[in-house]
Amino acid sequence: MFEICVESDFCAAHRLNNYLGACENLHGHNFKVEVVVRCSKLNQTYIGIDFKELKGHLKDILSALDHRYLNEIDFFSKTNPTSEMIAKYIFETLKSRIKECDLYTVSVYETPTSKATYMED
Ligand SMILES: Nc1nc2c(c(=O)[nH]1)N=C([C@H](O)[C@H](O)COP(=O)(O)OP(=O)(O)OP(=O)(O)O)CN2
Ligand SMILES: [Zn+2]
């Protein structure tokens, strides 16, 4: 089994409703996103999935979040744009695009020391 990992980032604003503290106020982050896929087979080039392909899908998905006020995006309208829910959104959007490998985890860092990871049960 092989694990393949790519990273990307985006810049966005959010506020956490019902959060008792400063994070309830509008603020922004340079979010970092880490995607891990698992492959049991390699192709004739001994690649599980091309980093370029995986990064292309990720950048495409993140372009819908970049420089946005995340609370206005439908997926978060009844929840909250926490790192947990952003990771779930990216996972669910990315999963159907990957054919060669299994999407394993999506992690979202709000700061260099804080991240949340989503994976399927
Ligand atoms: N489990 C989660 N906890 C918190 C989230 C979250 O998405 N999931 N989000 C926040 C806030 O958005 C906040 O902006 C980030 O909090 P934190 O990492 O504590 O950021 P700080 O800049 O305040 O970090 P310090 O290291 O404490 O300076 C809060 N919690
Ligand atoms: Zn925040």
Side-chain angles (χ1 to χ4, degrees):
M1 182 64 77
F2 301 91
E3 274 193 359
I4 296 154
C5 178
V6 296
E7 294 177 3
S8 190
D9 51 55
F10 68 99
C11 185
H14 71 169
R15 57 183 297 272
L16 302 187
N17 294 302
N18 301 316
Y19 183 94
L20 297 178
C23 301
E24 190 165 20
N25 302 326
L26 178 63
H27 63 281
H29 297 283
N30 294 317
F31 291 90
K32 187 176 103 173
V33 179
E34 182 187 87
V35 168
V36 178
V37 303
R38 288 183 155 184
C39 293
S40 56
K41 290 185 185 150
L42 303 181
N43 67 16
Q44 71 281 5
T45 321
Y46 297 90
I47 281 176
I49 182 171
D50 196 317
F51 293 141
K52 287 184 192 301
E53 182 189 339
L54 199 49
K55 281 183 185 170
H57 290 309
L58 183 57
K59 278 189 183 155
D60 194 32
I61 290 164
L62 297 188
S63 69
L65 304 177
D66 193 38
H67 285 76
R68 292 287 308 274
Y69 174 39
L70 299 177
N71 298 65
E72 289 180 344
I73 292 173
D74 280 353
F75 188 85
F76 307 114
S77 64
K78 292 191 173 64
T79 58
N80 241 345
T82 56
S83 294
E84 289 88 334
M85 290 303 294
I86 298 168
K88 187 171 194 280
Y89 169 83
I90 296 168
F91 191 104
E92 290 179 359
T93 313
L94 183 58
K95 187 177 164 64
S96 61
R97 294 184 179 218
I98 298 173
K99 307 289 178 217
E100 305 94 321
C101 300
D102 295 320
L103 181 55
Y104 182 49
T105 59
V106 173
S107 299
V108 172
Y109 292 75
E110 279 200 14
T111 72
T113 54
S114 311
K115 77 164 173 176
T117 297
Y118 181 78
M119 67 184 78
E120 285 180 333
D121 291 335

